[in-house]
């Protein structure tokens, strides 16, 4: 496997590339142009500027995360064809810089959903938290809470662009006729349109799981289970149509066994997110450290499934807790330095042990 680290870019991330360089085993930076709106073409000079920053520290830029899909594509409006052409041009512009994988999602309106970005977890640290009861209320309450961090701390969140969130009522109205079946149809249309460009450039499209893996606020979600993943991969059965398998997103539903999904589809997983989740009886969940016993996700079993499958794709520590001096205004929610660095070492330690002692 190839260890990577998600970085939000200069001026948008308190963590420096020089900090990341000191974490053993990290080979690449998972990056994006976070000031680009969904549907805009990523220009070569913008990509080149990021490459220059990463080259200084010897990091590859093989994985891009958050080339977001325009809502018109998800809704299936007549304007989708132009936005698909824009997406194809972005793929072509990324290829000369060595990009191998694009991580994206196909979630309506909200890319991810949490009700508390800095929830105390009992040891002095904080973590992202999902309170099920709040999701039954007005979506504007959650949106206003998340967007307050954007305004107060000058942070941008992929999928939570202020320009989109300002039109929340309009977005919900546009999605009203989009059933789950229609969303599947629109997804297939998008993928079939861009697969020739993926073959042309050698770039894999790796869809991220829906987070959390169930319908919210009346909006349909697709990639929510092993059965849904089976359907997705069969729907466009192409080696360039791949997964960003996120252990935390899937295991927010405790019925999902992520290790079994890895064993079944390891050859179609281009990118792996390793995140641990702690469940509560009332349907709430909290994110936890990457250590297996600190959550309910089965991190060690998942890593062994990747190892047994000969996984040679990209992997990264996903959301970590906020430790020590990290808190609102000093760290991006879920993306602190310390707990993710601990997660890197935990994963590499498990992998090294499997390399040395696992005799299949």
């Amino acid at each position: 496997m190839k260890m990577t680290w998600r970085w939000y870019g200069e001026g948008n991330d308190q963590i420096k590339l020089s900090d990341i360089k000191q974490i053993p085993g990290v080979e690449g930076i998972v990056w994006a142009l976070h000031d680009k709106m969904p549907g805009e073409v990523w220009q070569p000079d913008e990509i080149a500027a990021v490459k220059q920053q990463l080259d200084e520290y010897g990091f590859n830029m093989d994985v891009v995360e958050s080339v977001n899909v325009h809502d018109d594509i998800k809704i299936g409006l007549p304007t989708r064809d132009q936005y698909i052409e824009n997406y194809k041009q972005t793929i072509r512009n990324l290829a000369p810089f060595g990009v191998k994988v694009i991580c994206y999602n196909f979630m309506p309106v909200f890319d991810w959903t949490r009700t508390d970005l800095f929830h105390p977890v009992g040891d002095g640290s904080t973590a992202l938290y999902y309170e099920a009861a709040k999701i039954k209320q007005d979506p504007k309450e959650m949106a206003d809470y998340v967007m307050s961090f954007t305004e107060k701390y000058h942070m941008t969140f992929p999928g939570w662009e202020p320009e989109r969130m300002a039109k929340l009522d309009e977005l919900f109205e546009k999605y009203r006729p989009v059933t789950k079946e229609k969303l599947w149809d629109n997804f297939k249309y998008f993928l079939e349109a861009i697969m020739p460009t993926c073959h042309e450039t050698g770039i894999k499209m790796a869809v991220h799981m829906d987070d959390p893996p169930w319908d919210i606020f009346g909006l349909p979600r697709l990639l929510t289970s092993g059965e849904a993943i089976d359907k997705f991969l069969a729907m466009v059965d192409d080696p360039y149509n791949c997964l960003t398998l996120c252990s935390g997103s899937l295991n927010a539903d405790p019925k999902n066994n992520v290790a079994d999904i890895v064993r079944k589809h390891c050859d179609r997983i281009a990118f792996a997110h390793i995140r641990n989740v702690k469940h509560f009886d009332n349907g709430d969940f909290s994110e936890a450290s990457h250590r297996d016993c600190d959550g309910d996700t089965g991190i060690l079993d998942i890593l062994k499934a990747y190892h047994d499958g000969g996984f040679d794709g990209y992997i990264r520590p996903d959301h970590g807790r906020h430790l020590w001096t990290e808190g609102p205004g000093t760290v991006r929610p879920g993306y602190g330095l310390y707990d993710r660095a601990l997660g890197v070492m935990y994963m590499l330690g498990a992998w090294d042990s499997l390399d040395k002692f696992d005799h299949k």
Side-chain angles (χ1 to χ4, degrees), residues 26 33 43 60-61 67 75 102 122 129 135 139 143 157 160 169 171 188 197 207 276 283 316 332 351 354:
V26 176
L33 298 178
Q43 299 299 334
N60 70 58
M61 62 186 312
V67 183
I75 297 167
I102 292 174
Y129 191 87
I135 302 302
F157 299 117
W160 289 83
D169 288 339
L171 270 176
K188 183 179 182 182
T197 307
V207 68
N276 208 358
R316 73 167 175 83
R332 300 186 64 87
W351 199 267
L354 290 167

Side-chain angles (χ1 to χ4, degrees), residues 265-318:
H265 295 302
C266 195
D267 63 331
R268 295 287 290 276
I269 301 170
F271 188 25
H273 289 183
I274 302 297
R275 184 203 307 170
N276 208 358
V277 171
K278 182 71 175 176
H279 301 116
F280 300 97
D281 292 340
N282 63 354
D284 296 357
F285 65 84
S286 176
E287 298 185 0
S289 89
H290 289 82
R291 192 181 181 204
D292 187 272
C293 62
D294 285 346
D296 304 311
T297 305
I299 298 297
L300 291 178
D301 194 22
I302 292 168
L303 288 171
K304 189 174 189 306
Y306 278 116
H307 193 271
D308 290 349
F311 180 69
D312 63 355
Y314 302 90
I315 196 166
R316 73 167 175 83
D318 204 7

